[in-house]
Amino acid sequence: MRVEAERKNNKNEESNQKNKGFLHLPVDLSVSPEAEEERNGGQDEFNSNYCEYVFPECHQSNMSWTRCYDMRISTCKLKGRGIPNFIQRNMKLAQEVDENPTNEHRVHIPSSAFQRSRGPQQDINLVITVLSSTYFKSQSRARRFNPARVQGTVMGGSVLVVKAGIHPVKNLSEPIRLTFKHNKQVENGTCVFWQESKPEDGTGHWSTQGCQTTFTETEFICNCDHLSFFAVLVNPVLSVDKRNAVYLTYITYIGSALSVFFTAISLIIYTCLQQQRPEKAIGVHMQLTGALFCLHLSFLLCNIWVWLENENESWVCQGLGLFLHWSLLASISWMALEGFHLYLLLVRVFNIYVRRYLLKLSLVGWGLPTLIAVVCGISGVYGKYGLELRDANNHNSTAQMCWISSTFPQRLLVSYVTTVAFPCLVILYNSCMLGLVVFKLWRLRKGEGGDGWNKMNREKGSRLRKDCATVLGLSCVLGLPWWLASSTYMSLSGIYIFTILNSLQGVFVFLWSVALTCKSRSDKNSSFKDSSSQKMMTTSFNN
């Protein structure tokens, strides 16, 4: 008798532990599936029809846990005081439902939805609860293209479960309405439901089929024509806290100051090279270096003036904003002209005669930015620009600089056309030019240049390093690090990488000028000239 009593007590303790673990599951969304498996003891058989045991037993069953949960949750019974955030109602066919399983979720179900789920009984068992999104394993690869399949982060890590009756409820004439509350740190929310792909392992994907999304400042509203596992996929807004904002500011100022210093030295180097060996390529490099010098200098002046001047608007700030905008456009224009010059070098190698080549390039590289800046200046585009910042504690602050005025009505249009669309086209074109460089180098190194290359196997490693340095140098000259602007929307590390590389672009141009100087000296002292490297780095056009 004592042994049997001890066995009963042990079983009751195990049931209480299992029940206690599942009671907190809908609330503690951070519980991992692995921890839940350890908590539940690894049993595969269904011990009871109590709702407290449905999730742990289905999660350890041999079949798909979502299918098991779908079948059992609508027919289970509550035991004891119930489960937090778990709503179970015995509904009549003519009833509507308006429930709040949590403070962040609200569910409205029309009465017509219960007619779809009606079984032999007239009453319908309705279940509404919240589960952790960590239990929903996405399929690694899609077998075929599905436009309704979407990717994203589950908002709040919570999945809203709405089930009614024993039959699937879908194709509702009057959709159900699900409300998900959110803060202002998310954007582009999409209502989705969980669609199982592989029953054997329970994997699936989030789909938008049958769901429509509307949103307000504080809520996402989902109207869906079926009952399932629902969530909202969002793209979290990347925020920078106060400490990282200070670090990024220091990096930008220091990098811009170094770029001003080294671009000034680069101009001196290019001037000396132009006197020793007049070449059009060096002239193009000089123009780009001058534009970058103006860009970083104007950026520092715009920030320093706002820090010193406390007035709302002044003609000095407007002039500095024009100078900064003009310098940016000039830098991008000369990057595009560097790509055009590279095209002439690689594709139109022989029999090239361009009369007043640098003058024509200068009309485009300096004339087009000047025209745009003057038109914008006459239109009153420039002034103080305020950027709102929000730290981790939701404390707002404003950073100001002389740029495109925040009060100008068409500020977004001017900004996107001149600082987003135009740079994207230039960088896309220069990326194609860089790909052409890599292709040309690959063909030359493969042996199409003749037997001379085949006799120089000992220098293969050094030539490979020179080719890599040439490609990296051209990448900086062509402005390809600006592609990293897309990474600033993804992670904080992307913001740091973009800030460091682009604030130090003047330093990279200086290193390129030093490489050209060393190349010029080595060509004079060496009897052998690597035609491929020289063609990539410098070229001459007839006057």
Side-chain angles (χ1 to χ4, degrees), residues 73-272:
I73 198 65
S74 300
T75 58
C76 66
K77 296 181 295 183
L78 286 172
K79 177 183 178 182
R81 291 176 293 181
I83 305 174
N85 300 337
F86 186 93
I87 298 175
Q88 187 181 58
R89 295 283 185 270
N90 195 14
M91 308 299 300
K92 301 294 184 180
L93 292 181
Q95 284 184 285
E96 291 188 355
V97 175
D98 200 349
E99 295 288 350
N100 294 74
T102 67
N103 294 329
E104 291 77 26
H105 303 87
R106 185 169 68 251
V107 179
H108 174 79
I109 305 177
S111 59
S112 59
F114 297 113
Q115 297 178 0
R116 295 269 183 171
S117 59
R118 181 176 58 183
Q121 298 85 9
Q122 293 296 322
D123 295 340
I124 303 298
N125 193 24
L126 172 67
V127 173
I128 302 174
T129 187
V130 178
L131 297 177
S132 172
S133 62
T134 57
Y135 296 98
F136 295 82
K137 303 299 181 181
S138 299
Q139 188 179 1
S140 57
R141 293 183 179 180
R143 295 180 180 178
R144 57 184 179 180
F145 175 73
N146 185 1
R149 179 172 180 169
V150 292
Q151 301 288 338
T153 303
V154 177
M155 186 180 69
S158 59
V159 178
L160 182 60
V161 183
V162 183
K163 296 292 179 181
I166 59 176
H167 300 289
V169 180
K170 55 185 179 180
N171 299 325
L172 297 175
S173 58
E174 188 177 359
I176 65 172
R177 185 173 68 252
L178 313 171
T179 304
F180 296 79
K181 292 185 178 181
H182 69 88
N183 53 32
K184 295 184 179 180
Q185 295 297 314
V186 296
E187 61 181 9
N188 300 329
T190 304
C191 297
V192 294
F193 77 99
W194 182 253
Q195 188 169 5
E196 192 176 59
S197 301
K198 293 183 177 181
E200 59 271 13
D201 58 6
T203 59
H205 61 272
W206 296 107
S207 175
T208 59
Q209 188 174 3
C211 290
Q212 294 181 352
T213 307
T214 57
F215 58 90
T216 64
E217 293 183 355
T218 58
E219 294 178 339
F220 287 108
I221 302 173
C222 306
N223 293 289
C224 302
D225 63 356
H226 57 279
L227 304 184
S228 182
F229 301 89
F230 299 99
V232 174
L233 298 187
V234 295
N235 295 322
V237 175
L238 184 62
S239 60
V240 180
D241 56 20
K242 187 175 182 179
R243 184 183 64 178
N244 286 304
V246 173
Y247 292 161
L248 290 169
T249 302
Y250 286 146
I251 291 172
T252 304
Y253 290 160
I254 294 173
S256 294
L258 291 174
S259 292
V260 170
F261 176 74
F262 283 104
T263 49
I265 298 178
S266 300
L267 287 174
I268 298 174
I269 293 176
Y270 285 135
T271 302
C272 296

Side-chain angles (χ1 to χ4, degrees), residues 351-402:
N351 299 324
I352 297 177
Y353 176 78
V354 181
R355 184 178 178 83
R356 295 181 180 179
Y357 179 69
L358 279 179
L359 178 60
K360 294 179 180 178
L361 292 184
S362 298
L363 289 176
V364 178
W366 300 113
L368 180 62
T370 302
L371 178 62
I372 296 175
V374 169
V375 172
C376 292
I378 295 175
S379 303
V381 172
Y382 304 110
K384 279 191 176 181
Y385 172 75
L387 177 63
E388 293 185 359
L389 303 176
R390 179 181 298 169
D391 58 15
N393 298 322
N394 289 330
H395 295 156
N396 295 330
S397 60
T398 303
Q400 290 185 333
M401 65 178 296
C402 296

